[in-house]
Amino acid sequence: MNTLTDSQALTHHEIVTRDRWIAERKRLLAREKALTRLGDEVARERGTLPWVRIDKDYVFDTATGPRRLAELFGPHRRLVMQHMMFTPGAEAACKSCSFMADHTDPALPHLAARGVAFVAVSRAPLTDIARFKARMGWRFDWVSSFDSDFNRDFHVSFTEEERARGDVFYNFTMQPFPQGEAPGISVFIKDNDGSVYLSYSTFGRGVELMMHTYRFLDLLPEGRDEGDLPYTMAWVKHHDRYEEAPAAAAGGCCGSRA
């Protein structure tokens, strides 16, 4: 991973008095407040999106047996789902999707307090999911969609034939995509009679909302410092692999895409 040396940091930044720094900080603060207000406005618009009723009977393989989509909510009426890239036969889930998932467990009690369930879904068989989940030490629910059309219907899995044609439907547009799996987040609502509705989905860089490590990095003078990397998130590893020697650069697993 690229990092700036202390001398580079000093060379690339003007050194000023405290009063000058406060003046410059207040100028930036005005921009930050405008961004916060815009974020609040977008969140309100997100809450007014129409819903889509899920009529297809999806069944998932879970640690407690086969479960339908409505049964993944537990006692809650709202469900946040991570579409996690884990191809059947792979040794591990995508390292960038795993980076997302690393931020989840501490949020679980807070989500539950607001009536929200969380589940990750992958196409890998449940035995592989259980093995990798134990390796990562995660507690969140993680189910397999191996025997269903769920991933393809939600446009996070693509066949070789689809990719060979040049474009797949991802992030609400037709575009080339380098892999057969893609990341995403979806939100579902369950009503009193058990009907389930899709209220929101986000893909591409939208999934960064789960990556609050990036929020810390964005505070630094060098920011994420990914400009010279072979692809965004090239520095990310599974959290139990950071002590290993750097591997040769390879294609991004699910690095941020516009």
Side-chain angles (χ1 to χ4, degrees), residues 200-220:
Y200 181 73
S201 285
T202 189
F203 306 95
R205 289 197 64 183
V207 304
E208 288 182 8
L209 63 89
M210 284 183 61
M211 306 176 183
H212 64 249
T213 295
Y214 267 147
R215 304 286 81 79
F216 289 116
L217 295 177
D218 288 341
L219 299 177
L220 305 177

Side-chain angles (χ1 to χ4, degrees), residues 84-88 90-93 122-124 128-129 131-132 142:
M84 188 183 294
M85 297 165 62
F86 194 174
T87 305
E91 176 66 24
S122 300
R123 284 202 311 120
D128 290 345
I129 288 174
R131 169 185 49 77
F132 185 68
W142 190 359

Side-chain angles (χ1 to χ4, degrees), residues 150-209:
F150 184 81
N151 278 48
R152 292 203 59 214
D153 289 351
F154 278 80
H155 307 290
V156 289
S157 291
F158 317 108
T159 65
E160 291 186 8
E161 291 76 16
E162 287 174 322
R163 294 169 57 211
R165 291 196 291 267
D167 291 315
V168 300
F169 189 76
Y170 180 63
N171 204 10
F172 310 107
T173 190
M174 296 299 294
Q175 60 175 295
F177 199 82
Q179 299 166 87
E181 301 276 321
I185 300 169
S186 292
V187 178
F188 299 92
I189 311 296
K190 184 169 67 171
D191 68 12
N192 291 334
D193 69 4
S195 297
V196 175
Y197 303 85
L198 173 69
S199 67
Y200 181 73
S201 285
T202 189
F203 306 95
R205 289 197 64 183
V207 304
E208 288 182 8
L209 63 89

Side-chain angles (χ1 to χ4, degrees), residues 72-81 108 111-112 114-119 141:
L72 301 184
F73 287 72
H76 306 299
R77 292 294 180 84
R78 292 168 290 181
L79 173 68
V80 175
M81 173 182 289
L108 294 177
L111 290 173
R114 301 298 289 169
V116 181
F118 176 91
V119 66
D141 290 336

Side-chain angles (χ1 to χ4, degrees), residues 4-11:
L4 294 178
T5 65
D6 289 341
S7 61
Q8 286 176 312
L10 289 173
T11 301

